[in-house]
Amino acid sequence: MSNIILPFKNDLGIKVDLNLDDIIQGIYKTIPETTCKNCGTCCKNGCPHIRMCEFAVLFNNFIKDIDPEIKKEVVQRCVENFLSNDVVKPCPLLNKDNGCIVYKYRPSNCKTYGMIDKKEFKKRVKNAKKEFKEEFELLGLKKQCQDVRKDGKIFYLTTEDTDKLMKKLAHLDVAFGAPSVEGLVSYRTFHDWVMLKIFGEEKLCSFTEFKLKATKEAKDSLIKEIIKKLTV
């Protein structure tokens, strides 16, 4: 699969073609490099929401670089996540060694986890509590990991830094053709994006209705049918 090229106009009004991969990586360079214990706790406890432009680069490199059998396993986990009513859904890109199979292209929410401003993180937890209500206690990421380090020390981004990052990605989504940025239509989990990519919005709606009513046996049967017919 070739690189994703976006048409832009420079300051002189001249049309130029820019590589989306390069643009995204340029934005990511504003996020400090960190290390962690590679325990996989955050990846097992949630699948972060990502922008359309981030997903496009992530999926493009996923298709290009990953072994076909592993790709099929990941897609199966995406289908399972989508059809699951569980609050906690592990990231489909986590391997058996607690590592990310596309670590180089992991999205901004993964890169900034552990560095989010304390007040901002408290606000996010408060919003999650409102959204999930009685199911909130089932969530595993109510505190930031203290093992994420920059140069061996705990480090926090400012709210201003995070806002600038989000605005850059939102603007890039507009250029990429996202149907809505303010309405966050372009902000989904990886497994939701994969399902949208494979089946389209209309089919996704029917799957949503199905998962709310179907038994576990019916879901398992559908998953087997989808994977059987799937060509990655």
Side-chain angles (χ1 to χ4, degrees):
M1 185 177 289
S2 60
N3 290 327
I4 302 168
I5 304 298
L6 285 180
F8 276 86
K9 285 186 177 180
N10 62 20
D11 293 339
L12 297 175
I14 301 171
K15 182 181 175 183
V16 292
D17 290 337
L18 298 177
N19 187 319
L20 181 60
D21 197 322
D22 291 342
I23 299 171
I24 287 283
Q25 293 306 318
I27 292 173
Y28 286 168
K29 281 181 181 178
T30 64
I31 305 171
E33 288 292 332
T34 58
T35 58
C36 69
K37 289 187 176 180
N38 202 36
C39 64
T41 300
C42 54
C43 306
K44 292 172 186 173
N45 278 282
C47 191
H49 283 70
I50 59 179
R51 291 282 186 186
M52 179 188 281
C53 57
E54 292 185 283
F55 172 75
V57 169
L58 183 60
F59 191 74
N60 193 52
N61 286 285
F62 167 74
I63 291 296
K64 184 172 62 176
D65 296 343
I66 305 301
D67 178 86
E69 283 306 308
I70 296 178
K71 279 190 281 195
K72 201 165 186 177
E73 289 173 12
V74 170
V75 173
Q76 179 171 338
R77 291 198 286 269
C78 287
V79 178
E80 290 169 348
N81 270 7
F82 185 85
L83 293 177
S84 172
N85 292 323
D86 293 341
V87 176
V88 176
K89 298 180 182 182
C91 180
L93 296 165
L94 181 68
N95 65 25
K96 62 182 180 180
D97 298 318
N98 293 328
C100 175
I101 64 173
V102 286
Y103 188 78
K104 180 182 177 182
Y105 303 100
R106 71 195 188 284
S108 56
N109 276 336
C110 295
K111 288 177 175 290
T112 58
Y113 177 68
M115 294 190 291
I116 301 168
D117 177 80
K118 290 181 180 180
K119 288 184 180 179
E120 172 64 23
F121 193 80
K122 282 183 179 179
K123 189 196 304 182
R124 295 185 187 188
V125 170
K126 186 177 181 180
N127 290 338
K129 198 168 186 176
K130 285 182 181 178
E131 179 181 352
F132 292 97
K133 298 176 182 176
E134 65 274 7
E135 294 180 317
F136 173 75
E137 292 306 320
L138 298 173
L139 298 176
L141 299 179
K142 294 188 280 291
K143 292 182 179 180
Q144 288 197 86
C145 179
Q146 296 297 291
D147 292 321
V148 175
R149 302 293 173 98
K150 174 184 176 288
D151 299 326
K153 298 178 182 178
I154 294 176
F155 175 83
Y156 293 104
L157 294 164
T158 66
T159 302
E160 184 181 8
D161 289 335
T162 308
D163 287 346
K164 282 181 180 179
L165 174 66
M166 292 300 105
K167 283 180 181 178
K168 286 179 181 178
L169 292 171
H171 291 159
L172 192 53
D173 261 4
V174 172
F176 193 60
S180 171
V181 172
E182 292 302 323
L184 295 181
V185 174
S186 68
Y187 205 49
R188 307 176 190 239
T189 60
F190 177 78
H191 54 260
D192 283 351
W193 277 122
V194 169
M195 293 292 285
L196 181 64
K197 177 79 174 175
I198 295 174
F199 298 106
E201 195 74 61
E202 187 175 339
K203 191 69 175 175
L204 226 57
C205 290
S206 65
F207 280 154
T208 300
E209 291 179 11
F210 170 81
K211 81 171 183 177
L212 294 174
K213 303 174 183 176
T215 62
K216 184 179 183 305
E217 290 73 21
K219 289 179 182 179
D220 289 344
S221 178
L222 177 60
I223 290 167
K224 286 180 182 178
E225 184 181 341
I226 290 173
I227 298 304
K228 188 177 180 180
K229 295 179 180 179
L230 185 67
T231 302
V232 181

